[in-house]
Amino acid sequence: MAAKCAYVEKVGAVYYVRKRIPRAWIGQVRGDVLRLSLRTKDRAEALKWGLEALAVFEDLLRMAPEEALKHLTQRLIDEQMLRPEEMTGADLVRRRALGSVGSKIIRRAREELRLGENLDGIYAELVHLNRATVEGEAYYDRLPDDRKTQDSATIRKLAEIDVSGFQAVLDELGGTVLSKPVPGKPVPTEPSQPRSAAIKATTSDEAIASDDGHPIYTLRYLMEHYFKHDGKNTGADNRSNIERAVKLFEDLCPEVRTLAAPRIPLTFWDRLYEFVQEIPKAQGRATPDNIVKFTRAVQAEGANYRRLSRTTLNSNYLGAITRIARYGQKKRLYSWQAPPLIIPQSKRATKSKGKAPFSPEEVAAVMSCPVYTGSASRRLRYSPGHEIFADDHIYWAPLIAAHTGMRVTEVGLLRFEQMQTWFGRQTFVLEIAEAEENTNGIVGYKTGNALRRIPLHRQLVEIGFLDFWNHQKALHDRPFPAWTQHVKGGSVGEPEIHFEADFFNAHRLKWDVPAHRQHKLSFHSFRGFFIQACHSAGVNPYTILKWVGHDDDTEARTSEVHRGYMSDDLTSEEVEAIDAVQVPIGRVKSFADWLKSRR
């Protein structure tokens, strides 16, 4: 009988590695065990690869936050030197383990070490690590079985890696950048001549390669690589824009045909930037094949001619080229970044079209309207009277939005199974069951960021929201059965279910707010109010990001890369923090008291 391994377990047909979370991490991450798929059905491979993942877990999780971040930074430097096409099965397991535990280390460092923007470079490198790992897995899966057992023999040179982002963090922590490669990997020997001297003669449509067989990452090579992989579904118009832009750069600066993108001098980028602003507008005519020759011919006739708009240049020319250059960085072909090529469009500001958040005084005014103090009838909810109706969306939707920051459609789509207990607190889990279908349109949320968990504010509980929830659950299949669903996008073949807030927005003139703000306020203003109230209460910006999905103010305070790691569930502290948010609601009658008055 085969001996058992305490760290490897079989789930179905695939083996997993497992590691118990150290006590110091309890409460910082969900669960008490880390599990990682080894992507193999072979037990011998699982035992060998499991040790790779286990070494990462044990090295990093046993350290204090400062030491863990320092070692993570140094490991990411080593991993940069490994090309996706040369990764072995053990490499892939080690990198996935590093990505799994690395996000937790960075999140904890953000909260405890307060390194600020210095962590942004590490976030970016962790994302690049994960992307390169996915690409490496795709290469590995296509290999024949006999090739999968071979070790890789070539890695990137450290000299080609930009370590400035790492060094900023290590300087803060008192560490130094490692200069050694991944253990067990031989360093390639220096070529006898520069790569630029080893370029083979090819046509412009071929990928240029050096004598050692490795491609030179010219813009044309990157473009073809993009069309074959990430951009294989690119539309005909966008494809022609990219091809036209690359050809324009090659015609303007012929050296670009043979230079790797990171080697293109800044003078060439400046020349491109200046030249595109002189391209004539070929209105009513097909775009010429050689735009450089066409532009110079028009310029020879005089300088008074119509030029392409800056929007077109930023999108179809400069934007297309920088997208291709950045694609190489995204695929970890190099660490160089393309220079910004955006032509500013100056326009004097006149009137803001954006919606404004409610102020606390305006929220208090809304919660003191006849809906909550007494209406004339169920139909005339905003006309003063003596009747209160606390069993529908007109009463509860504004209260929910003010206490959670939920959008109007998110409130309308609430289902009873979405109320779940988390760390002893009732929470909304904004996920739609896959089995739920609607013949009128697609049921779903605005973006992937909208899938989240929101704690139930204690003030909502005190005014009887749970009593209302249980009352509706006993009578209906959803909390707000009288709220009419609307379909948007049917004319373009993508019908989606939406909920409107006309019941609220139509009465904006009755909210007793200044005239100059009446047209800037709507139901969505509750979301802006909630976000501002969170900041005023001193809630961690990353916690706000988890609660609301996204918002402009929080995005300005956080790293774009870090937002990809906010899929971790709420901690116990984040669940309790919502009670610090102040929502002025006045004398809203509790549901239990209302129910008693109806009997």
Side-chain angles (χ1 to χ4, degrees):
M1 181 176 180
K4 293 184 178 180
C5 177
Y7 298 104
V8 174
E9 61 183 4
K10 192 174 185 180
V11 180
V14 179
Y15 283 93
Y16 282 69
V17 63
R18 61 190 300 275
K19 170 67 178 174
R20 183 171 295 278
I21 295 290
R23 290 183 180 179
W25 287 81
I26 299 298
Q28 301 289 333
V29 295
R30 184 173 59 177
D32 57 356
V33 174
L34 274 175
R35 284 186 174 85
L36 180 72
S37 172
L38 297 173
R39 301 179 73 248
T40 182
K41 301 177 182 179
D42 182 84
R43 186 173 184 277
E45 279 187 340
L47 293 176
K48 180 176 66 174
W49 294 351
L51 293 176
E52 291 277 353
L54 190 61
V56 175
F57 290 155
E58 291 188 339
D59 278 353
L60 297 178
L61 291 179
R62 63 180 173 81
M63 298 178 182
E66 181 175 331
E67 286 300 314
L69 183 63
K70 186 186 303 183
H71 281 258
L72 172 66
T73 302
Q74 294 168 339
R75 278 180 172 268
L76 288 176
I77 295 173
D78 289 343
E79 293 294 344
Q80 275 203 37
M81 297 185 287
L82 192 59
R83 292 193 179 102
E85 61 270 21
E86 296 160 353
M87 295 177 187
T88 65
D91 292 332
L92 295 170
V93 170
R94 181 186 66 252
R95 291 169 67 92
R96 282 190 288 111
L98 190 61
S100 175
V101 75
S103 62
K104 296 175 175 57
I105 290 173
I106 293 174
R107 179 178 175 275
R108 191 178 183 191
R110 170 70 74 179
E111 296 175 353
E112 299 185 18
L113 299 183
R114 303 188 181 281
L115 294 178
E117 296 180 356
N118 286 338
L119 281 176
D120 291 351
I122 309 301
Y123 296 141
E125 292 308 322
L126 196 60
V127 171
H128 289 316
L129 173 90
N130 293 334
R131 288 173 176 164
T133 302
V134 171
E135 186 176 354
E137 288 173 346
Y139 280 116
Y140 184 78
D141 290 342
R142 292 195 295 266
L143 291 176
D145 292 339
D146 58 335
R147 289 281 307 280
K148 290 183 179 181
T149 60
Q150 299 178 6
D151 290 330
S152 60
T154 308
I155 59 173
R156 294 176 180 171
K157 295 179 293 181
L158 187 59
E160 296 176 353
I161 298 174
D162 179 10
V163 296
S164 58
F166 295 111
Q167 190 64 60
V169 175
L170 288 173
D171 288 345
E172 289 269 356
L173 301 176
T176 56
V177 174
L178 287 182
S179 58
K180 63 179 182 180
V182 180
K185 304 294 182 184
V187 178
T189 57
E190 291 290 333
S192 57
Q193 55 182 342
R195 297 189 89 185
S196 58
I199 295 177
K200 298 178 179 178
T202 61
T203 64
S204 61
D205 292 331
E206 295 175 332
I208 299 177
S210 60
D211 285 338
D212 60 6
H214 291 290
I216 302 298
Y217 301 125
T218 63
L219 286 176
R220 183 160 295 277
Y221 172 84
L222 295 172
M223 178 183 70
E224 298 298 334
H225 193 281
Y226 172 76
F227 287 147
K228 291 177 182 177
H229 297 88
D230 290 20
K232 59 184 177 182
N233 296 323
T234 302
D237 289 344
N238 287 336
R239 187 183 184 102
S240 62
N241 288 337
I242 295 173
E243 291 174 339
R244 185 188 306 121
V246 171
K247 186 178 186 301
L248 165 67
F249 201 3
E250 292 176 342
D251 291 341
L252 181 65
C253 305
E255 297 90 343
V256 169
R257 294 190 177 98
T258 57
L259 283 174
R263 305 300 181 190
I264 298 176
L266 190 58
T267 54
F268 287 6
W269 293 104
D270 288 340
R271 191 185 306 173
L272 172 70
Y273 182 83
E274 297 296 334
F275 177 82
V276 295
Q277 298 181 57
E278 303 299 324
I279 298 177
K281 188 174 184 179
Q283 191 169 6
R285 295 175 291 176
T287 303
D289 182 61
N290 193 321
I291 297 177
V292 175
K293 184 183 295 184
F294 169 70
T295 301
R296 287 172 176 164
V298 173
Q299 286 178 323
E301 299 175 2
N304 188 19
Y305 60 89
R306 298 184 64 185
R307 295 167 173 80
L308 291 178
S309 69
R310 296 184 176 186
T311 301
T312 300
L313 297 177
N314 286 334
S315 173
N316 297 355
Y317 289 88
L318 300 178
I321 289 179
T322 52
R323 188 191 321 166
I324 292 302
R326 289 170 182 168
Y327 172 75
Q329 182 197 24
K330 171 185 173 182
K331 303 303 287 185
R332 306 307 292 141
L333 302 177
Y334 45 74
S335 58
W336 169 83
Q337 294 185 3
L341 298 175
I342 299 177
I343 302 173
Q345 304 183 56
S346 59
K347 183 179 180 182
R348 293 186 64 84
T350 54
K351 186 177 179 181
S352 170
K353 299 180 181 179
K355 295 297 182 181
F358 283 124
S359 68
E361 294 76 18
E362 289 164 348
V363 171
V366 170
M367 301 307 174
S368 300
C369 73
V371 171
Y372 302 101
T373 59
S375 305
S377 66
R378 186 178 285 275
R379 186 173 66 86
L380 302 174
R381 299 294 287 278
Y382 287 88
S383 298
H386 303 286
E387 295 289 335
I388 296 178
F389 303 92
D391 59 348
D392 62 4
H393 60 285
I394 298 178
Y395 187 93
W396 285 106
L399 288 169
I400 295 172
H403 286 85
T404 63
M406 292 171 62
R407 303 175 179 90
V408 59
T409 295
E410 292 172 349
V411 178
L413 287 175
L414 282 174
R415 299 294 183 264
F416 293 116
E417 61 272 14
Q418 291 178 316
M419 180 74 76
Q420 298 178 12
T421 303
W422 189 249
F423 287 111
R425 171 71 69 93
Q426 294 297 319
T427 61
F428 290 125
V429 179
L430 299 194
E431 291 181 352
I432 299 295
E434 294 183 1
E436 182 170 340
E437 297 180 357
N438 192 299
T439 56
N440 296 321
I442 301 171
V443 178
Y445 297 115
K446 181 180 178 181
T447 64
N449 290 333
L451 304 178
R452 61 194 190 277
R453 183 189 296 275
I454 311 172
L456 200 60
H457 199 292
R458 193 173 302 280
Q459 189 166 253
L460 266 183
V461 178
E462 292 173 352
I463 61 177
F465 178 74
L466 292 179
D467 297 328
F468 161 77
W469 189 268
N470 294 328
H471 177 268
Q472 295 294 93
K473 189 174 182 179
L475 300 176
H476 307 286
D477 59 349
R478 59 192 182 100
F480 306 113
W483 199 347
T484 304
Q485 299 179 356
H486 296 267
V487 178
K488 290 185 178 180
S491 60
V492 295
E494 297 181 358
E496 297 178 349
I497 298 298
H498 284 258
F499 287 83
E500 302 291 349
D502 290 343
F503 68 88
F504 183 83
N505 296 334
H507 301 277
R508 68 183 70 196
L509 297 179
K510 301 178 182 179
W511 297 342
D512 193 24
V513 297
H516 67 276
R517 283 176 57 81
Q518 288 173 355
H519 296 289
K520 289 183 175 293
L521 299 174
S522 67
F523 188 92
H524 197 74
S525 299
F526 284 119
R527 180 173 171 84
F529 158 77
F530 177 77
I531 292 166
Q532 288 194 350
C534 289
H535 288 300
S536 299
V539 179
N540 188 300
Y542 298 102
T543 301
I544 303 173
L545 196 61
K546 284 186 177 183
W547 289 347
V548 301
H550 75 87
D551 70 90
D552 294 339
D553 193 14
T554 303
E555 286 185 9
R557 303 184 185 200
T558 60
S559 160
E560 179 180 357
V561 178
H562 184 63
R563 292 196 291 276
Y565 291 102
M566 298 311 294
S567 57
D568 289 346
D569 217 327
L570 300 178
T571 64
S572 59
E573 292 80 7
E574 290 171 331
V575 170
E576 297 297 329
I578 198 167
D579 289 336
V581 181
Q582 300 295 317
V583 183
I585 62 172
R587 297 181 179 179
V588 174
K589 194 171 187 178
S590 73
F591 184 79
D593 292 341
W594 174 82
L595 204 57
K596 290 178 183 178
S597 67
R598 305 290 293 181
R599 292 173 179 170

